[in-house]
Amino acid sequence: MLELRPNCECCGRDLPPQSSEALICTFERTFCADCAQTRFTGTCPNCGGELVKRPVRPDSMLAKHPASTERIRKAHPQCAAA
């Protein structure tokens, strides 16, 4: 089950579970659409894989399976100005 991480790993922007701006790789590294496009050109800086739109979990399932609250930030060279 996806963790639905709460923020962009690069700039720290909040990405709530229902956000249409969240993109992920196959390892669930999470980025906002802006960082994914402008800083990483659609490629995950961690694994080199494609960044795709994160699915939205329905509210009824969020109650049963809540999103992660652990904020993750990584020191990618592309994020230095973030």
Coordinates of all heavy atoms in Angstrom, one line a residue:
M1 N 0.8 -1.2 0.0 CA 0.0 0.0 0.0 C 0.9 1.2 0.0 O 1.9 1.3 0.7 CB -0.9 0.0 1.2 CG -1.8 1.2 1.3 SD -3.0 1.2 2.6 CE -3.6 -0.5 2.5
L2 N 0.5 2.2 -0.8 CA 1.3 3.5 -0.9 C 1.3 4.2 0.4 O 0.2 4.3 1.1 CB 0.8 4.4 -2.0 CG 0.9 3.9 -3.4 CD1 0.2 4.9 -4.4 CD2 2.4 3.8 -3.8
E3 N 2.4 4.8 0.8 CA 2.5 5.6 2.0 C 1.8 6.9 1.9 O 1.3 7.5 2.9 CB 3.9 5.9 2.4 CG 4.7 4.7 2.8 CD 6.1 5.0 3.2 OE1 6.5 6.2 3.4 OE2 6.9 4.1 3.4
L4 N 1.7 7.5 0.7 CA 1.1 8.8 0.5 C 1.9 9.8 1.4 O 1.3 10.4 2.3 CB -0.4 8.9 0.7 CG -1.3 7.9 -0.1 CD1 -2.7 8.1 0.3 CD2 -1.1 8.2 -1.6
R5 N 3.1 10.0 1.1 CA 4.0 10.9 1.8 C 3.5 12.3 1.8 O 3.0 12.8 0.7 CB 5.4 10.8 1.3 CG 6.0 9.4 1.6 CD 7.3 9.2 1.1 NE 7.8 7.8 1.4 CZ 8.9 7.3 0.8 NH1 9.6 8.0 0.0 NH2 9.2 6.0 1.1
P6 N 3.7 13.1 2.8 CA 3.0 14.4 3.0 C 3.7 15.6 2.3 O 3.2 16.7 2.4 CB 2.9 14.6 4.5 CG 4.2 13.9 5.0 CD 4.3 12.7 4.1
N7 N 4.9 15.4 1.7 CA 5.6 16.6 1.2 C 6.5 16.3 0.1 O 6.8 15.1 -0.2 CB 6.4 17.2 2.3 CG 7.5 16.3 2.8 OD1 7.3 15.3 3.4 ND2 8.8 16.7 2.5
C8 N 6.9 17.3 -0.7 CA 7.9 17.2 -1.7 C 9.2 16.9 -1.1 O 9.7 17.7 -0.2 CB 7.9 18.4 -2.6 SG 9.2 18.4 -3.9
E9 N 9.9 15.9 -1.5 CA 11.2 15.6 -1.0 C 12.3 16.7 -1.3 O 13.3 16.8 -0.6 CB 11.7 14.2 -1.6 CG 12.9 13.7 -1.1 CD 13.2 12.3 -1.6 OE1 12.4 11.4 -1.4 OE2 14.2 12.2 -2.4
C10 N 12.0 17.4 -2.3 CA 13.0 18.5 -2.8 C 12.7 19.8 -2.1 O 13.6 20.3 -1.4 CB 12.9 18.6 -4.3 SG 14.1 19.8 -5.0
C11 N 11.5 20.4 -2.3 CA 11.3 21.8 -1.8 C 10.5 21.8 -0.5 O 10.4 22.8 0.2 CB 10.5 22.6 -2.8 SG 8.8 22.1 -3.1
G12 N 10.0 20.6 0.0 CA 9.2 20.6 1.2 C 7.8 21.0 1.1 O 7.1 20.9 2.1
R13 N 7.3 21.3 -0.1 CA 5.9 21.7 -0.3 C 4.9 20.7 0.3 O 5.2 19.5 0.1 CB 5.6 21.9 -1.7 CG 4.2 22.3 -2.1 CD 4.1 22.5 -3.6 NE 2.7 22.6 -4.0 CZ 2.3 22.6 -5.2 NH1 3.2 22.6 -6.2 NH2 1.0 22.7 -5.5
D14 N 3.9 21.1 0.9 CA 2.9 20.1 1.4 C 2.1 19.5 0.3 O 1.8 20.2 -0.7 CB 1.8 20.9 2.3 CG 2.4 21.3 3.6 OD1 3.4 20.7 4.1 OD2 1.8 22.2 4.3
L15 N 2.0 18.2 0.3 CA 1.3 17.4 -0.7 C 0.3 16.5 0.1 O 0.5 15.3 0.3 CB 2.2 16.6 -1.5 CG 3.2 17.4 -2.4 CD1 4.3 16.5 -2.9 CD2 2.5 18.1 -3.5
P16 N -0.9 17.0 0.4 CA -1.9 16.2 1.1 C -2.3 15.0 0.3 O -2.1 15.0 -0.9 CB -3.1 17.2 1.3 CG -2.8 18.3 0.4 CD -1.4 18.4 0.1
P17 N -2.9 14.0 0.9 CA -3.3 12.8 0.2 C -4.1 13.0 -1.1 O -4.0 12.3 -2.1 CB -4.1 12.0 1.2 CG -3.7 12.6 2.5 CD -3.3 14.0 2.3
Q18 N -5.0 14.1 -1.1 CA -5.8 14.3 -2.2 C -5.2 15.2 -3.3 O -5.8 15.5 -4.3 CB -7.2 14.9 -1.8 CG -7.1 16.3 -1.2 CD -6.7 16.4 0.2 OE1 -6.1 15.5 0.8 NE2 -7.0 17.5 0.8
S19 N -3.9 15.6 -3.1 CA -3.3 16.5 -4.1 C -3.1 15.9 -5.5 O -2.7 14.7 -5.6 CB -1.9 16.8 -3.5 OG -1.2 17.6 -4.5
S20 N -3.4 16.7 -6.5 CA -3.2 16.2 -7.8 C -1.8 16.7 -8.3 O -1.4 16.4 -9.4 CB -4.3 16.8 -8.8 OG -4.2 18.2 -8.7
E21 N -1.0 17.3 -7.4 CA 0.3 17.8 -7.8 C 1.4 16.9 -7.3 O 2.6 17.3 -7.5 CB 0.5 19.2 -7.1 CG -0.5 20.3 -7.7 CD -0.2 20.6 -9.1 OE1 1.0 20.8 -9.5 OE2 -1.1 20.6 -9.9
A22 N 1.1 15.8 -6.7 CA 2.1 14.9 -6.2 C 2.5 13.8 -7.3 O 1.6 13.2 -7.9 CB 1.6 14.1 -5.0
L23 N 3.8 13.7 -7.5 CA 4.3 12.7 -8.4 C 5.2 11.7 -7.6 O 5.9 12.2 -6.6 CB 5.1 13.3 -9.5 CG 4.2 13.9 -10.6 CD1 3.9 15.4 -10.2 CD2 4.8 13.8 -11.9
I24 N 5.3 10.5 -8.0 CA 6.1 9.5 -7.3 C 6.8 8.6 -8.3 O 6.5 8.5 -9.5 CB 5.2 8.5 -6.4 CG1 4.2 7.8 -7.2 CG2 4.6 9.3 -5.3 CD1 3.4 6.7 -6.4
C25 N 7.9 7.9 -7.8 CA 8.6 6.9 -8.6 C 8.2 5.5 -8.0 O 7.4 5.5 -7.1 CB 10.1 7.1 -8.5 SG 10.8 6.7 -6.9
T26 N 8.8 4.5 -8.5 CA 8.4 3.1 -8.1 C 8.8 2.9 -6.6 O 8.3 1.9 -6.0 CB 9.0 2.0 -9.0 OG1 10.4 2.1 -9.0 CG2 8.4 2.2 -10.4
F27 N 9.7 3.7 -6.1 CA 10.1 3.6 -4.7 C 9.4 4.6 -3.8 O 9.8 4.8 -2.6 CB 11.6 3.8 -4.5 CG 12.4 2.7 -5.2 CD1 12.9 2.8 -6.5 CD2 12.7 1.5 -4.5 CE1 13.7 1.8 -7.1 CE2 13.4 0.5 -5.1 CZ 13.9 0.6 -6.4
E28 N 8.3 5.2 -4.3 CA 7.5 6.1 -3.6 C 8.2 7.4 -3.2 O 7.7 8.2 -2.3 CB 6.9 5.5 -2.3 CG 5.8 4.5 -2.7 CD 5.0 4.1 -1.4 OE1 4.3 4.9 -0.9 OE2 5.2 2.9 -1.0
R29 N 9.3 7.7 -3.8 CA 9.9 9.1 -3.6 C 8.9 10.1 -4.2 O 8.4 9.9 -5.2 CB 11.2 9.2 -4.4 CG 12.3 8.2 -3.9 CD 12.6 8.5 -2.5 NE 13.9 7.8 -2.1 CZ 14.4 7.8 -1.0 NH1 13.8 8.4 0.0 NH2 15.5 7.1 -0.7
T30 N 8.6 11.1 -3.4 CA 7.5 12.0 -3.7 C 8.0 13.4 -4.0 O 8.8 13.9 -3.2 CB 6.5 12.0 -2.5 OG1 6.1 10.6 -2.2 CG2 5.3 12.8 -2.8
F31 N 7.5 14.0 -5.1 CA 7.9 15.3 -5.5 C 6.6 16.1 -5.9 O 5.7 15.5 -6.4 CB 8.9 15.3 -6.6 CG 10.2 14.5 -6.2 CD1 10.3 13.2 -6.5 CD2 11.2 15.2 -5.6 CE1 11.5 12.5 -6.2 CE2 12.3 14.5 -5.2 CZ 12.5 13.2 -5.5
C32 N 6.7 17.4 -5.8 CA 5.6 18.2 -6.3 C 5.8 18.3 -7.9 O 6.9 18.0 -8.4 CB 5.6 19.6 -5.7 SG 7.0 20.7 -6.1
A33 N 4.7 18.6 -8.6 CA 4.8 18.7 -10.0 C 5.8 19.7 -10.5 O 6.5 19.4 -11.5 CB 3.4 19.0 -10.6
D34 N 6.0 20.8 -9.8 CA 6.9 21.8 -10.2 C 8.4 21.3 -10.1 O 9.1 21.4 -11.1 CB 6.8 23.1 -9.3 CG 7.7 24.2 -9.8 OD1 7.7 24.5 -11.0 OD2 8.4 24.8 -9.0
C35 N 8.8 20.7 -9.0 CA 10.1 20.2 -8.9 C 10.3 19.0 -9.9 O 11.4 18.9 -10.5 CB 10.4 19.7 -7.5 SG 10.6 21.0 -6.3
A36 N 9.3 18.1 -10.0 CA 9.5 17.0 -10.9 C 9.7 17.5 -12.4 O 10.5 16.9 -13.1 CB 8.2 16.1 -10.9
Q37 N 9.1 18.5 -12.8 CA 9.2 19.0 -14.2 C 10.4 19.9 -14.3 O 11.2 19.7 -15.2 CB 8.0 19.7 -14.6 CG 6.8 18.8 -14.7 CD 5.4 19.5 -14.8 OE1 5.4 20.8 -14.8 NE2 4.4 18.8 -14.8
T38 N 10.6 20.9 -13.5 CA 11.6 21.9 -13.7 C 13.0 21.5 -13.2 O 14.0 21.9 -13.8 CB 11.2 23.3 -13.0 OG1 11.1 23.1 -11.6 CG2 10.0 23.8 -13.6
R39 N 13.0 20.7 -12.1 CA 14.3 20.3 -11.6 C 14.8 19.0 -12.1 O 16.0 18.7 -12.2 CB 14.3 20.4 -10.1 CG 14.0 21.7 -9.5 CD 13.9 21.6 -7.9 NE 13.4 22.8 -7.4 CZ 14.2 23.9 -7.0 NH1 15.5 23.8 -7.2 NH2 13.6 24.9 -6.5
F40 N 13.9 18.1 -12.3 CA 14.2 16.7 -12.6 C 13.8 16.2 -14.0 O 14.0 15.0 -14.3 CB 13.7 15.7 -11.5 CG 14.1 16.1 -10.1 CD1 13.1 16.4 -9.2 CD2 15.4 16.3 -9.8 CE1 13.5 16.7 -7.9 CE2 15.8 16.6 -8.5 CZ 14.8 16.9 -7.5
T41 N 13.1 17.0 -14.7 CA 12.6 16.7 -16.1 C 11.9 15.3 -16.1 O 12.1 14.5 -17.0 CB 13.7 16.8 -17.1 OG1 14.7 15.8 -16.9 CG2 14.2 18.2 -17.3
G42 N 11.1 15.1 -15.1 CA 10.3 13.8 -15.0 C 11.0 12.6 -14.6 O 10.4 11.5 -14.7
T43 N 12.2 12.7 -14.2 CA 13.0 11.5 -13.8 C 13.4 11.6 -12.3 O 13.9 12.6 -11.9 CB 14.3 11.4 -14.7 OG1 13.9 11.4 -16.0 CG2 15.1 10.2 -14.3
C44 N 13.2 10.5 -11.6 CA 13.5 10.5 -10.2 C 15.0 10.7 -10.0 O 15.8 9.9 -10.6 CB 13.1 9.2 -9.5 SG 13.5 9.1 -7.8
P45 N 15.5 11.6 -9.1 CA 16.9 11.8 -8.9 C 17.5 10.7 -8.0 O 18.7 10.6 -8.0 CB 17.0 13.2 -8.2 CG 15.7 13.3 -7.5 CD 14.7 12.6 -8.4
N46 N 16.7 9.9 -7.4 CA 17.1 8.8 -6.6 C 17.4 7.5 -7.3 O 18.5 6.9 -7.2 CB 16.1 8.5 -5.4 CG 15.9 9.7 -4.5 OD1 16.8 10.1 -3.8 ND2 14.8 10.3 -4.6
C47 N 16.4 7.1 -8.1 CA 16.5 5.8 -8.8 C 16.6 5.9 -10.3 O 16.9 4.9 -11.0 CB 15.3 4.9 -8.5 SG 13.7 5.5 -9.2
G48 N 16.4 7.1 -10.9 CA 16.5 7.3 -12.3 C 15.2 6.9 -13.1 O 15.1 6.9 -14.3
G49 N 14.2 6.5 -12.3 CA 12.9 6.0 -12.9 C 12.0 7.2 -13.2 O 12.2 8.3 -12.8
E50 N 10.9 6.9 -13.9 CA 9.9 7.9 -14.3 C 9.1 8.4 -13.0 O 8.8 7.6 -12.2 CB 9.0 7.2 -15.2 CG 7.9 8.0 -15.8 CD 6.9 7.2 -16.7 OE1 6.9 6.0 -16.6 OE2 6.2 7.9 -17.5
L51 N 8.8 9.6 -13.0 CA 7.9 10.2 -12.0 C 6.5 10.3 -12.6 O 6.4 10.9 -13.7 CB 8.4 11.6 -11.6 CG 9.7 11.6 -10.8 CD1 10.3 13.0 -10.6 CD2 9.6 10.9 -9.5
V52 N 5.6 9.7 -11.9 CA 4.2 9.7 -12.4 C 3.2 10.2 -11.4 O 3.5 10.3 -10.2 CB 3.8 8.2 -12.8 CG1 4.6 7.7 -14.0 CG2 3.8 7.3 -11.6
K53 N 2.0 10.6 -11.8 CA 1.0 11.1 -10.9 C 0.7 10.1 -9.8 O 0.5 9.0 -10.1 CB -0.2 11.5 -11.7 CG -1.3 12.1 -10.8 CD -2.5 12.5 -11.7 CE -3.6 13.1 -10.8 NZ -4.2 12.2 -9.8
R54 N 0.7 10.6 -8.6 CA 0.4 9.7 -7.4 C -1.1 9.5 -7.4 O -1.9 10.5 -7.5 CB 0.9 10.3 -6.1 CG 0.6 9.5 -4.9 CD 1.1 10.1 -3.6 NE 0.3 11.3 -3.3 CZ 0.6 12.2 -2.3 NH1 1.7 12.0 -1.6 NH2 -0.2 13.2 -2.1
P55 N -1.6 8.3 -7.2 CA -3.1 8.1 -7.1 C -3.6 8.8 -5.9 O -2.9 9.0 -4.9 CB -3.2 6.6 -7.0 CG -1.9 6.0 -7.3 CD -0.9 7.0 -7.1
V56 N -4.9 9.1 -6.0 CA -5.6 9.7 -4.9 C -6.4 8.6 -4.2 O -7.2 7.9 -4.8 CB -6.5 10.9 -5.3 CG1 -7.4 11.4 -4.2 CG2 -5.7 12.0 -6.0
R57 N -6.2 8.5 -2.9 CA -6.9 7.5 -2.1 C -8.3 8.1 -1.7 O -8.3 9.2 -1.1 CB -6.1 7.1 -0.8 CG -6.7 5.9 -0.1 CD -5.8 5.4 1.0 NE -4.6 4.9 0.4 CZ -3.4 4.8 1.1 NH1 -3.3 5.2 2.3 NH2 -2.3 4.4 0.4
P58 N -9.4 7.4 -1.9 CA -10.7 7.9 -1.5 C -10.8 8.2 0.0 O -10.1 7.5 0.8 CB -11.7 6.8 -1.9 CG -10.9 6.0 -2.9 CD -9.5 6.1 -2.6
D59 N -11.6 9.2 0.3 CA -11.7 9.6 1.7 C -12.1 8.4 2.6 O -11.6 8.3 3.7 CB -12.7 10.7 1.9 CG -12.2 12.0 1.4 OD1 -11.0 12.2 1.2 OD2 -13.0 12.9 1.1
S60 N -13.0 7.5 2.1 CA -13.4 6.4 2.9 C -12.3 5.4 3.2 O -12.2 4.8 4.3 CB -14.6 5.7 2.2 OG -14.1 5.2 0.9
M61 N -11.3 5.3 2.3 CA -10.2 4.5 2.5 C -9.1 5.2 3.4 O -8.3 4.5 4.1 CB -9.6 4.0 1.2 CG -10.4 3.0 0.5 SD -10.5 1.4 1.3 CE -12.1 1.5 2.1
L62 N -9.0 6.5 3.3 CA -8.1 7.3 4.1 C -8.4 7.1 5.6 O -7.5 7.1 6.4 CB -8.1 8.8 3.8 CG -7.2 9.2 2.7 CD1 -7.4 10.7 2.3 CD2 -5.7 9.0 3.0
A63 N -9.6 7.0 5.9 CA -10.0 6.8 7.3 C -9.5 5.5 7.8 O -9.1 5.4 9.0 CB -11.6 6.9 7.4
K64 N -9.6 4.5 7.0 CA -9.1 3.1 7.4 C -7.6 3.0 7.2 O -7.0 2.3 8.0 CB -9.9 2.1 6.5 CG -9.7 0.7 6.9 CD -10.5 -0.2 6.1 CE -10.3 -1.7 6.5 NZ -11.2 -2.6 5.7
H65 N -7.0 3.6 6.2 CA -5.6 3.5 5.9 C -5.0 4.9 5.7 O -4.9 5.4 4.6 CB -5.4 2.7 4.6 CG -6.0 1.3 4.6 ND1 -5.5 0.3 5.3 CD2 -7.2 0.8 4.1 CE1 -6.2 -0.8 5.2 NE2 -7.3 -0.5 4.4
P66 N -4.7 5.6 6.8 CA -4.3 7.0 6.7 C -2.9 7.1 6.0 O -2.1 6.2 5.9 CB -4.1 7.4 8.2 CG -4.2 6.2 9.0 CD -4.8 5.1 8.1
A67 N -2.8 8.3 5.4 CA -1.5 8.7 4.8 C -0.4 8.8 5.8 O -0.6 9.1 7.0 CB -1.7 10.0 4.0
S68 N 0.8 8.8 5.3 CA 2.0 8.9 6.2 C 2.1 10.4 6.7 O 1.6 11.3 6.0 CB 3.3 8.6 5.4 OG 4.4 8.9 6.2
T69 N 2.6 10.6 7.8 CA 2.8 11.9 8.4 C 4.3 12.2 8.4 O 4.7 13.4 8.8 CB 2.2 12.1 9.8 OG1 2.8 11.1 10.6 CG2 0.7 12.0 9.7
E70 N 5.2 11.3 8.1 CA 6.6 11.4 8.1 C 7.1 12.3 7.0 O 7.0 11.9 5.8 CB 7.3 10.1 8.1 CG 8.8 10.2 8.2 CD 9.6 8.9 8.1 OE1 8.9 7.8 8.1 OE2 10.8 8.9 8.1
R71 N 7.7 13.4 7.3 CA 8.2 14.3 6.2 C 9.6 13.9 5.9 O 10.5 13.7 6.8 CB 8.1 15.8 6.7 CG 6.7 16.2 7.0 CD 6.6 17.7 7.4 NE 6.9 18.6 6.3 CZ 6.0 19.0 5.4 NH1 4.7 18.5 5.4 NH2 6.3 19.8 4.4
I72 N 9.9 13.8 4.6 CA 11.2 13.4 4.1 C 11.8 14.5 3.2 O 11.1 15.0 2.3 CB 11.1 12.0 3.4 CG1 10.6 10.9 4.3 CG2 12.5 11.7 2.7 CD1 10.3 9.6 3.6
R73 N 13.0 14.9 3.5 CA 13.7 15.8 2.6 C 15.1 15.2 2.3 O 15.7 14.6 3.2 CB 13.9 17.2 3.3 CG 12.7 18.0 3.6 CD 12.1 18.7 2.3 NE 13.0 19.6 1.6 CZ 13.1 20.9 1.8 NH1 12.4 21.4 2.8 NH2 13.9 21.6 1.1
K74 N 15.6 15.3 1.1 CA 16.8 14.8 0.7 C 17.7 16.0 0.1 O 17.1 16.9 -0.5 CB 16.7 13.7 -0.4 CG 16.0 12.5 0.1 CD 16.8 11.7 1.0 CE 16.0 10.4 1.4 NZ 16.8 9.5 2.2
A75 N 19.0 15.9 0.2 CA 19.9 16.9 -0.2 C 20.3 16.6 -1.7 O 21.5 16.3 -1.9 CB 21.1 17.1 0.7
H76 N 19.4 16.8 -2.6 CA 19.8 16.6 -4.0 C 20.4 17.9 -4.5 O 20.0 19.0 -4.1 CB 18.5 16.4 -4.9 CG 17.7 15.2 -4.4 ND1 18.2 13.9 -4.5 CD2 16.5 15.1 -3.8 CE1 17.3 13.1 -4.1 NE2 16.2 13.8 -3.6
P77 N 21.4 17.8 -5.3 CA 22.1 19.1 -5.9 C 21.1 20.0 -6.6 O 21.2 21.2 -6.4 CB 23.1 18.5 -6.9 CG 23.4 17.1 -6.4 CD 22.1 16.6 -5.8
Q78 N 20.1 19.4 -7.2 CA 19.1 20.2 -7.9 C 18.2 21.0 -6.9 O 17.5 21.9 -7.3 CB 18.2 19.4 -8.8 CG 18.9 18.6 -9.9 CD 19.2 17.2 -9.4 OE1 19.6 16.9 -8.3 NE2 19.1 16.2 -10.4
C79 N 18.1 20.6 -5.7 CA 17.3 21.2 -4.7 C 18.0 22.3 -3.9 O 17.4 22.9 -3.0 CB 16.7 20.2 -3.7 SG 15.7 18.9 -4.5
A80 N 19.2 22.6 -4.2 CA 20.0 23.6 -3.4 C 19.3 24.9 -3.3 O 19.4 25.6 -2.3 CB 21.4 23.7 -4.0
A81 N 18.6 25.3 -4.4 CA 17.9 26.6 -4.4 C 16.5 26.6 -3.8 O 15.8 27.5 -3.7 CB 17.9 27.2 -5.8
A82 N 16.1 25.4 -3.4 CA 14.7 25.2 -2.9 C 14.6 25.7 -1.5 O 15.5 25.8 -0.8 CB 14.3 23.7 -3.0

